[in-house]
Amino acid sequence: MSLIEVEHLKYRYPATEKLALNDISLTAEAGELIGIVGKNTAGKTTFCQALVGLVPHFYKGAYGGSVRIGGMDVKESGVDETIRKVGIVFQNPFTQVTGSKLTVYEEIAFGLEHLGIARQDMMERIDHALHLLDIEAYKDRAPFDLSGGQMQRMAIASVIAMRPQVIVLDEPTSQLDPQGSEEVFRAIQSLSREGITVILAEHKMEKLAAYADRIALLHEGMLIDYDTPSRVFSRSDLAEYGVEAPIYTRVCQAIGFRMLDMDTYPVTLEEAQAAYEAQHSAISASSQEEQGGRYD
Amino acid sequence: MKSMSLYVERESTVHHIDPITKLVYIAAAIALPIILPSLHTAWICMLISFVILGMGRVLTRSLPIIGFVGFILLTVVIIQGFFHVGNETVLFRLGSWPFYEEGLLFAMGITFRALNIVGAFLILVLTTKPSDLVESLVRKGLSPRIGYVLSSVFQIIPQMMATVDTITDAQRSRGMETEGKLMTRIKAFLPLIGPVVLSSLIDTKERTLALQVRGFNVKGSKTFLNEEKMYRYGSAMRWSMLAIVIGAVIWRVIA
Ligand SMILES: Nc1ncnc2c1ncn2[C@@H]1O[C@H](COP(=O)(O)OP(=O)(O)OP(=O)(O)O)[C@@H](O)[C@H]1O
Ligand SMILES: [Mg+2]
């Protein structure tokens, strides 16, 4: 049994005609980092919110199929049960600050207080979350006084402290400056290293190519592809879905550098380098042969 | 960040007293002068409130507020001194206008009682963090939702003001006049309302989602990060205040 099992998930927002999610089925194993890509209105946010039960419980609307996390049916259990297993972080760091707490430390405690976690346990979890997100230095600051990147890491820490098995991040860096984004991506990597299952909707393909185990490509509510970054980003019809492959892939595609012994293109700088070196040594080997032949 | 709270951080015994005891004090300070309506109770209670403010080392902070209220009450003294219904004994004359003793005493009663109530509230407001107050109320059974609304107001309103500033700046940089005559200001204000209201509405929806996934609606009992703030003599103080109030009632009935 996989940790996340989505079966024939269909969803339509109230008072709309179109299906926002159209027959999505996928599974993810514990510890995987899954990227969600697709152009605007592809349904990424809707899918993310379906994993925590906000879809359909918050919005209502028409729902079909099922989402199961560790065997628990999200629709039947409701949001309040599901959040014990799945945490979600939204785009805007500002609106995730509760506004009722005076320090970062207290802010992270908010969820734990509402879950009824004992005080001692609470403090251990907060300290661990602060450490993991590398924001220990700001623990006594006022939540609204942080920079965007720090605030978003505080939001992630607040969710991590609740000890979910899965954390869903919906474009967590889209409203941050480059430095803030970089901080958040580093934080996401350390979550993944801790063995937390991460679902990450993101427009920065270079990052997904480097970190994700698998990529789900959504288009108009449908799951077009669900495969490794190399295979998804090497698709020749990617542009039709409004997704741009990582820059390395596009360059290699243009000059025809494939991965060694494979029909996919490099998706990261490292892979591009390896492909280049492989090609290069092949060329110099053959030219040496030529030269060798001449002097023979 | 701008803060809405009037809390003054000081090291004093009054600061250590728990918020519930301070609330009980407010109740007692309001009740006593009503139960015993003599002028003496009024000024003694007022004096006690001021002494406590002094012990909390926040008297200077309270002077502007007390001064402001006192200034308004001065008009009561003037009006009552000249026009109180039961006026008989003339104290002095201002031109041909007589100023009466009965009116003065009546107005002083009102003034002392009002300043006493203001003082009692100031003790709470100036020496207690709003978050501590809300937390102890939630512990005593106030709904955590109401508690959340109360404590978030202190931060979210300044946050909204900051949004207003940002949008004003944006509009000014697009060449809109936002300062100067009243009419210009009003004209500049109207196009502000749209973005501010809209962004607050969006914020509210997103914040509702964010709160829900942080367990805001989870049923069952809540725990608290902070240990309950207990003052060693808190309960003794509350019982003695209750005893004084009951004593006052008995006194009133038999005397
Ligand atoms: N609250 C809502 N009510 C009605 N329709 C909605 C609502 N939210 C989203 N939709 C619709 O559902 C579809 C999927 O939207 P969704 O927000 O999931 O896309 P997305 O991939 O997250 O886009 P983006 O990249 O802009 O964040 C869109 O057609 C959108 O108009
Ligand atoms: Mg989205």
Side-chain angles (χ1 to χ4, degrees), chain A:
Chain A
M1 192 183 71
S2 306
L3 179 60
I4 302 177
E5 292 181 321
V6 180
E7 275 173 21
H8 301 293
L9 177 63
K10 286 187 185 173
Y11 177 69
R12 186 162 47 75
Y13 282 98
T16 60
E17 300 288 308
K18 225 179 88 228
L19 283 172
L21 297 176
N22 191 352
D23 203 18
I24 293 186
S25 300
L26 58 78
T27 60
E29 309 302 324
E32 271 192 299
L33 196 159
I34 306 289
I36 314 267
V37 304
K39 66 166 198 219
N40 292 337
T41 75
K44 302 182 294 293
T45 298
T46 312
F47 181 70
C48 286
Q49 298 194 353
L51 294 176
V52 262
L54 289 170
V55 163
H57 292 287
F58 180 78
Y59 299 95
K60 313 297 177 214
Y63 186 94
S66 69
V67 174
R68 274 197 302 274
I69 312 284
M72 178 192 75
D73 188 285
V74 166
K75 174 149 190 274
E76 276 163 25
S77 310
V79 178
D80 294 343
E81 265 317 299
T82 308
I83 53 169
R84 295 176 191 270
K85 295 198 170 185
V86 188
I88 185 167
V89 175
F90 302 92
Q91 284 182 278
N92 185 344
F94 264 93
T95 54
Q96 294 175 76
V97 179
T98 63
S100 67
K101 299 291 186 178
L102 299 175
T103 67
V104 170
Y105 199 88
E106 291 175 355
E107 175 73 22
I108 297 176
F110 186 94
L112 306 179
E113 292 181 327
H114 283 275
L115 291 184
I117 307 294
R119 198 170 161 266
Q120 194 57 41
D121 191 14
M122 207 188 285
M123 294 196 298
E124 278 164 25
R125 287 174 179 218
I126 299 171
D127 287 332
H128 178 248
L130 284 169
H131 177 74
L132 201 58
L133 278 300
D134 194 21
I135 48 174
E136 287 142 315
Y138 320 116
K139 71 184 168 76
D140 295 321
R141 287 251 208 110
F144 280 119
D145 284 348
L146 301 179
S147 75
Q150 292 162 351
M151 210 183 266
Q152 192 62 294
R153 281 183 289 153
M154 174 181 76
I156 299 175
S158 307
V159 169
I160 285 300
M162 294 166 78
R163 298 267 158 96
Q165 295 167 10
V166 181
I167 182 164
V168 181
L169 302 123
D170 184 10
E171 297 187 43
T173 66
S174 63
Q175 309 205 354
L176 305 181
D177 56 19
Q179 192 201 334
S181 307
E182 199 46 50
E183 291 166 6
V184 169
F185 277 118
R186 262 204 304 272
I188 294 172
Q189 264 188 298
S190 42
L191 298 185
S192 189
R193 271 199 299 268
E194 282 267 306
I196 300 168
T197 311
V198 180
I199 309 290
L200 174 61
E202 188 51 65
H203 279 298
K204 300 189 177 81
M205 301 302 161
E206 286 75 20
K207 296 292 183 189
L208 281 184
Y211 305 145
D213 297 302
R214 286 196 273 177
I215 304 269
L217 170 61
L218 294 183
H219 185 66
E220 293 184 348
M222 283 178 287
L223 183 65
I224 305 297
D225 202 352
Y226 183 48
D227 213 326
T228 59
S230 319
R231 291 218 201 89
V232 171
F233 290 134
S234 296
R235 286 176 73 106
S236 52
D237 58 353
L238 206 54
E240 285 167 34
Y241 304 114
V243 173
E244 227 177 23
I247 179 79
Y248 314 112
T249 316
R250 279 179 284 143
V251 170
C252 292
Q253 239 162 359
I255 59 178
F257 274 2
R258 282 174 204 271
M259 293 286 284
L260 209 57
D261 308 325
M262 275 192 270
D263 55 353
T264 58
Y265 292 98
V267 293
T268 62
L269 182 58
E270 288 72 30
E271 286 180 9
Q273 239 165 356
Y276 171 77
E277 272 154 22
Q279 197 107 348
H280 195 74
S281 56
I283 291 170
S284 55
S286 66
S287 65
Q288 250 168 24
E289 256 169 46
E290 275 173 30
Q291 283 179 354
R294 205 179 300 155
Y295 286 110
D296 200 38

Side-chain angles (χ1 to χ4, degrees), chain B residues 103-142:
Chain B
L104 176 67
L105 291 179
F106 178 76
M108 296 234 290
I110 293 179
T111 308
F112 292 155
R113 270 171 222 150
L115 287 179
N116 170 40
I117 294 172
V118 171
F121 274 101
L122 282 176
I123 295 171
L124 178 73
V125 170
L126 294 176
T127 67
T128 315
K129 272 193 218 151
S131 56
D132 286 349
L133 173 61
V134 172
E135 200 168 295
S136 31
L137 289 175
V138 172
R139 279 183 214 270
K140 289 276 177 258
L142 178 76

Side-chain angles (χ1 to χ4, degrees), chain B residues 128-180:
Chain B
T128 315
K129 272 193 218 151
S131 56
D132 286 349
L133 173 61
V134 172
E135 200 168 295
S136 31
L137 289 175
V138 172
R139 279 183 214 270
K140 289 276 177 258
L142 178 76
S143 134
R145 285 150 184 280
I146 298 177
Y148 170 77
V149 171
L150 292 179
S151 49
S152 61
V153 156
F154 290 103
Q155 289 201 57
I156 297 201
I157 288 183
Q159 206 52 48
M160 276 170 76
M161 313 273 262
T163 316
V164 172
D165 285 348
T166 316
I167 296 174
T168 318
D169 281 347
Q171 295 190 330
R172 194 182 302 136
S173 69
R174 293 192 345 234
M176 181 187 257
E177 283 188 53
T178 57
E179 263 149 35

Side-chain angles (χ1 to χ4, degrees), chain B residues 38-217:
Chain B
S38 94
L39 193 58
H40 293 302
T41 356
W43 73 257
I44 291 172
C45 285
M46 178 185 80
L47 209 64
I48 294 175
S49 293
F50 287 179
V51 167
I52 298 175
L53 280 173
M55 280 162 46
R57 300 171 55 204
V58 288
L59 194 55
T60 43
R61 274 303 178 94
S62 29
L63 282 183
I65 299 163
I66 293 174
F68 177 73
V69 177
F71 179 74
I72 292 171
L73 289 169
L74 197 64
T75 59
V76 177
V77 173
I78 294 170
I79 292 169
Q80 296 295 339
F82 287 116
F83 307 116
H84 184 60
V85 191
N87 276 351
E88 271 177 6
T89 334
V90 177
L91 266 183
F92 60 88
R93 280 172 192 281
L94 210 71
S96 59
W97 294 86
F99 190 92
Y100 298 94
E101 186 182 327
E102 289 80 7
L104 176 67
L105 291 179
F106 178 76
M108 296 234 290
I110 293 179
T111 308
F112 292 155
R113 270 171 222 150
L115 287 179
N116 170 40
I117 294 172
V118 171
F121 274 101
L122 282 176
I123 295 171
L124 178 73
V125 170
L126 294 176
T127 67
T128 315
K129 272 193 218 151
S131 56
D132 286 349
L133 173 61
V134 172
E135 200 168 295
S136 31
L137 289 175
V138 172
R139 279 183 214 270
K140 289 276 177 258
L142 178 76
S143 134
R145 285 150 184 280
I146 298 177
Y148 170 77
V149 171
L150 292 179
S151 49
S152 61
V153 156
F154 290 103
Q155 289 201 57
I156 297 201
I157 288 183
Q159 206 52 48
M160 276 170 76
M161 313 273 262
T163 316
V164 172
D165 285 348
T166 316
I167 296 174
T168 318
D169 281 347
Q171 295 190 330
R172 194 182 302 136
S173 69
R174 293 192 345 234
M176 181 187 257
E177 283 188 53
T178 57
E179 263 149 35
K181 284 208 278 314
L182 187 64
M183 251 341 260
T184 350
R185 278 166 183 269
I186 293 175
K187 271 198 219 138
F189 185 68
L190 291 177
L192 257 180
I193 300 175
V196 170
V197 169
L198 195 67
S199 80
S200 320
L201 283 180
I202 295 170
D203 281 6
T204 308
K205 182 213 144 192
E206 291 184 4
R207 190 161 277 125
T208 313
L209 288 177
L211 287 178
Q212 264 195 34
V213 300
R214 302 273 291 279
F216 192 58
N217 291 342

